[in-house]
Amino acid sequence: VQLQASGGGLVRAGGSLRISCTASGRTFRWYDMGWFRQAPGKDREFVAGISRSGERYYEDSVKDRFTISRDNAMKTAYLRMSSLKPGDTAVYYCAADRSGPYYSSQSYTYWGQGTNVTVSS
């Protein structure tokens, strides 16, 4: 499985952005998906996850601002980000095929290359 993240960019604080993660192969619908982010000088951290059945999980700081979704027909997962803050600036990575806790990066088998999100103040 190959994952291609896209949609990142520069946005002003308070703005919105939707990033996407498109998978190759025919098994996307069976995978739990996750979004992680890594800011400069910081560890990669969990942002949101969605199970193959549609259950959603969020990191506390984003749960009222971000929405994760998936379109199995398009083999794509999305992260809609609203009320963006400068602290949300990071490279955002999508991941697939979870076998452990949803919030742990070690739980996921496949990773995309990352898309850069910069929030200006």
Side-chain angles (χ1 to χ4, degrees), residues 4-11 16-22 35 76-81 84 90-94 113-119:
Q4 180 71 42
S6 62
L10 174 64
V11 62
S16 299
L17 197 65
R18 188 183 76 165
I19 56 178
S20 304
C21 175
T22 301
W35 284 99
T76 300
Y78 303 97
L79 186 67
R80 173 71 175 177
M81 303 179 289
L84 282 161
V91 177
Y92 284 71
Y93 297 91
C94 60
Q113 85 289 0
T115 186
N116 207 336
V117 173
T118 301
V119 184

Side-chain angles (χ1 to χ4, degrees), residues 54-110:
E55 294 177 272
R56 294 172 169 84
Y57 310 92
Y58 297 97
E59 193 271 330
D60 285 347
S61 69
V62 309
K63 64 181 178 181
D64 294 327
R65 301 184 294 121
F66 291 8
T67 302
I68 189 171
S69 61
R70 65 189 299 159
D71 183 334
N72 288 337
M74 298 297 293
K75 295 186 287 186
T76 300
Y78 303 97
L79 186 67
R80 173 71 175 177
M81 303 179 289
S82 302
S83 302
L84 282 161
K85 306 174 181 179
D88 295 317
T89 295
V91 177
Y92 284 71
Y93 297 91
C94 60
D97 192 19
R98 182 177 64 85
S99 58
Y102 58 84
Y103 51 81
S104 173
S105 61
Q106 296 182 349
S107 298
Y108 296 82
T109 303
Y110 304 106

